[in-house]
Each structure stands twice: as structure tokens, then as C-alpha cells.
Amino acid sequence: NGDPTPVPRVAVVVFLLKGRSLLLGRRRSAVGNATYALPGGHLEFGESFEECAAREVKEETGLDIGKSEFLTVTNNVMLEQPKKCHYVTIFMRSVVGVDVEEEQVPQNLEPNKCDGWEWYEWDHLPHPLFGPLERMVKGGFNPFSS
Ligand code: 8DG
Ligand code: MG
Ligand code: MG
């Protein structure tokens, strides 16, 4: 790619859980285009993981999440994408009805980046999932029992 010095970046993404479902949106991006991914984005200078999680979810879906908790971190080297990138990805969790008020409806606030947000049952996930998420699921990671 044309960037002079590529570096790893930190991303914070959120497993937003509601019953047996989680919130996914299909990406419109040079990274993982047309794959289903969690809400989230880049950690900004000075932010905590929790602050970043709440900010990104709000910006992208309009949902207000109260608390979120750290689940796990993965290293994602994606050199095959149209835009080569490398992310250290922090996975957080918020549960609707516990950390998030019910009755909030997700909105697609960044339609240039996402086709829309929907709740998907864990046992019937859409495909293709975004690579980093696909690898976790195939590896047996379960956000409901972590
Ligand atoms: P920002 O400008 O709002 O900070 O960034 P963004 O436009 O929201 O970035 P993003 O692509 O949604 O997220 C940043 C990176 O996080 C993404 O390019 C790769 C990494 N990432 C994963 N897994 C996931 C995931 O499930 N969802 C999202 N959104 N990003 C993920 O490794
Ligand atoms: Mg974002
Ligand atoms: Mg995002």
C-alpha cells in the first residue's frame, strides 16, 4: 500500500448481546468488505477500552451502552485485504437488559461504512463473518460463556 510506514493499530469492538443474539453489521470498507462484523473502531489517544467501546457503538448505532467488560484480545494481520492492515483487537461485551437499556433500536448512522445493524442468533450467524470474528468462532470462542 502507499502508506510510508505501516504500523499495527489498536481497535476496540463490542459483542453487544441480547438474549441469544448479538449485533452485527455488514461492512462497506476496504478491509473486510461485505462481511459481517461487530460495532467498533479505533482506540483514540487517552481513551480507556470502555470509553472507546461506548463511543464507537454510539457513533455507529446510536445505542447507549453503560458498562462494558473486557473479554479477550486477538492479533489480526490482514495483508491480503485491498488495504493492508494489522490490528490488535480488543473485544468487549455489553449485555442488553444489564449494561444496556432495552427498547433501544440500533440505527445505521454510518451508512457509508455499514449496510445496517441486525440482531443475529448465535446459532444462526450470517456469513461471511469478518476474518477476525470468523477465526474466533471457528476456534470455539463463545461470547455468551466467557
Ligand atoms: P473510526 O474511524 O470510527 O475509529 O474507525 P472505524 O471506521 O469504525 O473502523 P473499523 O474498520 O470499524 O474498525 C477498525 C478495525 O478494527 C478494523 O479495520 C479491523 C478491526 N476489527 C477486528 N474485528 C472487528 C470487528 O468485528 N468489527 C469492527 N468494526 N472492526 C474490527 O479485528
Ligand atoms: Mg467507527
Ligand atoms: Mg467501525
Side-chain angles (χ1 to χ4, degrees), residues 39-42 55-57 59-60 110 113:
H42 301 92
R55 177 182 56 74
E56 285 288 344
V57 168
E59 287 175 358
E60 298 182 353
E110 295 181 341
K113 292 186 179 183

Side-chain angles (χ1 to χ4, degrees), residues 35-81:
T35 64
Y36 290 86
L38 305 168
H42 301 92
L43 185 69
E44 293 184 355
F45 187 84
E47 269 185 332
S48 67
F49 297 158
E50 292 77 9
E51 288 166 345
C52 182
R55 177 182 56 74
E56 285 288 344
V57 168
K58 181 72 176 176
E59 287 175 358
E60 298 182 353
T61 73
L63 298 175
D64 284 303
I65 64 173
K67 290 190 282 80
S68 61
E69 59 179 328
F70 172 81
L71 284 187
T72 191
V73 56
T74 63
N75 187 43
N76 299 290
V77 179
M78 295 181 277
L79 304 182
E80 76 291 353
Q81 295 287 335

Side-chain angles (χ1 to χ4, degrees), residues 28-133:
R28 300 172 62 91
S29 172
V31 179
N33 192 46
T35 64
Y36 290 86
L38 305 168
H42 301 92
L43 185 69
E44 293 184 355
F45 187 84
E47 269 185 332
S48 67
F49 297 158
E50 292 77 9
E51 288 166 345
C52 182
R55 177 182 56 74
E56 285 288 344
V57 168
K58 181 72 176 176
E59 287 175 358
E60 298 182 353
T61 73
L63 298 175
D64 284 303
I65 64 173
K67 290 190 282 80
S68 61
E69 59 179 328
F70 172 81
L71 284 187
T72 191
V73 56
T74 63
N75 187 43
N76 299 290
V77 179
M78 295 181 277
L79 304 182
E80 76 291 353
Q81 295 287 335
K83 180 176 181 184
K84 291 184 178 64
C85 62
H86 176 181
Y87 283 97
V88 173
T89 309
I90 309 295
F91 291 83
M92 306 294 285
R93 170 173 61 196
S94 278
V95 179
V96 173
V98 180
D99 309 306
V100 186
E101 277 184 34
E102 306 204 54
E103 314 298 339
Q104 295 190 76
V105 176
Q107 301 164 259
N108 190 17
L109 296 184
E110 295 181 341
N112 56 324
K113 292 186 179 183
C114 177
D115 284 337
W117 299 105
E118 300 285 349
W119 301 101
Y120 293 93
E121 284 187 33
W122 180 247
D123 295 329
H124 301 93
L125 292 175
H127 61 89
L129 293 175
F130 187 28
L133 191 54

